[in-house]
Structures are given as structure tokens and as C-alpha cells.
């Protein structure tokens, strides 16, 4: 009798273990399908992967700068062909530089990045040049905006001045942004702690929302796209060489 009872208990025990394993496997499969994290910190890991790092944020903002530089290139081509430039297009383009690049993007660099490199005594010569170029760029933008207030850019002196301003701006900012993307921004992780690095991203986002509300980057992507459309240079396919 005892043997029978023990046998039944062993059978029940084996049955319970089997059910436990099967139920555990089912939970694991369902959790994987639904994206439910079973381990602490899974959601935090997914959140971290979705967040944009400070260098990546600054680099994509350089994309807007680059698109305006392409617009400036087009203005130079128009001047070379003696085509009239609508002053409003000039104002719209320079306003993107003023509002997004100079008063937001460059201020982020000047307030959050440059002081940290200076404090760490790293890349200080580069930082000094970048700061000077920011100042020179704002002077050029002031003059471009001033020209844009005119009813038309008809005089030869105005066209010559605009040519010089656009050329100087492009000549300075192409190497400027390239040096930041390849030297300054990648070096940031080496001079700050992980906590400080992460908090910079929060600081960037906070200021963007203060200045532009939600989706500040997307707002200015749309603005530059509108200028490109008005100038007939929005279609990317037109830049593909025909070999």
C-alpha cells in the first residue's frame, strides 16, 4: 500500500514538474511575441536604444546646414547666369541659418560642448577656431538678411556683394562642420562621464522644446524643403549624373 501511494506521489510530482516547464515555455513565447520584458531593465534598454545621442543629434542638425549650403550654391549659379534671385528666397534661407543653426545649434555647442573641452584641456585650439567661425558666420548672415530686405537684387554691386558673402559662408562652413563631425563630436565621450553624456541629450531636447515646441528639427526640415521646392532643386534624382 505504501508502495502504491509513493508511486502515485512520484507520478504527481513528475506531472507537476512537466506542467511547470510547459507553462514556463508558454509564458516565454507569449512574452517574446508581445514584447513583454521578463527581466528588470528590459524597457530601459529598449528606451536607451531609441534615444538619439548628443553627437548624433548635432550631426543630423548639420544635415539642415548642408541643405542650406546647397541652396546657397544654387544662388551662386543663378548669379553666374545673371538670373534674378527673389529676395524672399534669400531671406527664407538665411533665416533658417539664423534661427536654427546660429541661435540654437551653435548655442548648444557654445554652452554645453566648448566649455567642457576647455575645462578638460582637450582640443582647445580647435574650439577657439570654431568659436571664431561662429562669430564670423553671424556677421555674414546679418549682411545676407540685410540684402534680402531689398525689393530686388538688381544692381551689380548688390549681386557682387551677395556673391562674396555666399562664397565666404560656404567656404568656411563646409570644413567647419566636417571637423566637428569627425574630430570634436566623437571626442565628447572621452571627456565626460556616462551620466553627464546622457544628461546632455536631455538638455538639448529641453532647449529645443523651449525654442520651437515639439518637433523642432522636423519643422526646419520642412522649411528648407519648401525653399528647395520653390527653387526647383528639391528632386534628388536631378543631381544623379548621366554617364
Amino acid at each position: 500500500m505504501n508502495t502504491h501511494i509513493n508511486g502515485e506521489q512520484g507520478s504527481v510530482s513528475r506531472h507537476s514538474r512537466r506542467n511547470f516547464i510547459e507553462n514556463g515555455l508558454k509564458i516565454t513565447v507569449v512574452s517574446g511575441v508581445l514584447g513583454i520584458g521578463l527581466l528588470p531593465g528590459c524597457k530601459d534598454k529598449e528606451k536607451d536604444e531609441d534615444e538619439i545621442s548628443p553627437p548624433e543629434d548635432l550631426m543630423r542638425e548639420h544635415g539642415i546646414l548642408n541643405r542650406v549650403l546647397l541652396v546657397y550654391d544654387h544662388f551662386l549659379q543663378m548669379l553666374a547666369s545673371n538670373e534674378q534671385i527673389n529676395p524672399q528666397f534669400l531671406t527664407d534661407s538665411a533665416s533658417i541659418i539664423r534661427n536654427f543653426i546660429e541661435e540654437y545649434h551653435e548655442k548648444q555647442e557654445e554652452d554645453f560642448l566648448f566649455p567642457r573641452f576647455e575645462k578638460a584641456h582637450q582640443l582647445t585650439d580647435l574650439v577657439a577656431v570654431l568659436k571664431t567661425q561662429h562669430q564670423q558666420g553671424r556677421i555674414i548672415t546679418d549682411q545676407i538678411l540685410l540684402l534680402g530686405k531689398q525689393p530686388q537684387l538688381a544692381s551689380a554691386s548688390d549681386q557682387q556683394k551677395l556673391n562674396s558673402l555666399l562664397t565666404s559662408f560656404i567656404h568656411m562652413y563646409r570644413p567647419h562642420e566636417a571637423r566637428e563631425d569627425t574630430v570634436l563630436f566623437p571626442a565628447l565621450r572621452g571627456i565626460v562621464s556616462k551620466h553627464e553624456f546622457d544628461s546632455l541629450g536631455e538638455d538639448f531636447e529641453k532647449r529645443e522644446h523651449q525654442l520651437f515646441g515639439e518637433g523642432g528639427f522636423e519643422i526646419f526640415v520642412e522649411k528648407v524643403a519648401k525653399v528647395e521646392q520653390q527653387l526647383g532643386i528639391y528632386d534628388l534624382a536631378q543631381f544623379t549624373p548621366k554617364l
Side-chain angles (χ1 to χ4, degrees), residues 34-54:
L34 297 179
I36 301 172
L38 296 177
L39 298 175
C42 284
K43 291 184 179 180
D44 292 339
K45 183 178 180 181
E46 291 175 0
K47 182 180 178 182
D48 289 342
E49 290 175 352
D50 291 338
E51 290 179 351
I52 298 175
S53 69

Side-chain angles (χ1 to χ4, degrees), residues 215-242:
F217 173 77
E218 289 77 12
I219 290 171
F220 283 92
V221 169
E222 291 179 6
K223 286 180 180 291
V224 73
K226 182 178 179 181
V227 174
E228 292 168 341
Q229 290 165 353
Q230 292 170 326
L231 292 171
I233 60 171
Y234 177 76
D235 183 12
L236 186 62
Q238 68 184 290
F239 297 101
T240 306
K242 298 178 180 179

Side-chain angles (χ1 to χ4, degrees), residues 74-237:
H74 186 71
F75 287 151
L76 289 176
Q77 294 173 18
M78 293 178 70
L79 289 171
S81 301
N82 294 318
E83 296 180 53
Q84 278 294 317
I85 297 175
N86 186 329
Q88 186 61 52
F89 298 163
L90 188 64
T91 298
D92 291 344
S93 305
S95 293
I96 294 172
I97 294 294
R98 170 52 45 87
N99 297 329
F100 188 77
I101 299 301
E102 295 173 349
E103 295 184 348
Y104 169 64
H105 171 86
E106 290 182 351
K107 285 293 290 179
Q108 301 281 65
E109 295 173 345
E110 293 167 359
D111 292 346
F112 297 112
L113 263 63
F114 294 171
R116 284 177 166 84
F117 280 99
E118 290 168 339
K119 183 178 179 180
H121 303 288
Q122 297 292 322
L123 301 176
T124 53
D125 290 343
L126 173 60
V127 167
V129 173
L130 294 173
K131 289 167 70 174
T132 298
Q133 291 182 341
H134 284 181
Q135 295 167 2
Q136 292 299 110
R138 289 161 190 162
I139 293 172
I140 294 174
T141 299
D142 282 340
Q143 296 182 44
I144 293 175
L145 287 170
L146 191 61
L147 285 173
K149 292 180 179 180
Q150 300 186 25
Q152 57 182 351
L153 301 169
S155 71
S157 61
D158 285 343
Q159 293 181 13
Q160 184 177 2
K161 183 176 182 180
L162 179 59
N163 188 305
S164 177
L165 291 171
L166 295 174
T167 300
S168 296
F169 195 90
I170 294 168
H171 182 74
M172 179 173 67
Y173 267 97
R174 286 224 163 99
H176 176 100
E177 64 166 343
R179 199 62 61 89
E180 288 183 337
D181 286 347
T182 59
V183 178
L184 190 78
F185 299 162
L188 180 61
R189 284 184 182 272
I191 65 168
V192 297
S193 66
K194 184 182 184 305
H195 174 74
E196 190 174 4
F197 185 84
D198 293 339
S199 68
L200 276 174
E202 296 174 3
D203 291 335
F204 287 1
E205 185 176 4
K206 181 179 179 181
R207 179 171 287 183
E208 180 181 339
H209 290 168
Q210 287 175 341
L211 291 176
F212 311 121
E214 293 289 337
F217 173 77
E218 289 77 12
I219 290 171
F220 283 92
V221 169
E222 291 179 6
K223 286 180 180 291
V224 73
K226 182 178 179 181
V227 174
E228 292 168 341
Q229 290 165 353
Q230 292 170 326
L231 292 171
I233 60 171
Y234 177 76
D235 183 12
L236 186 62

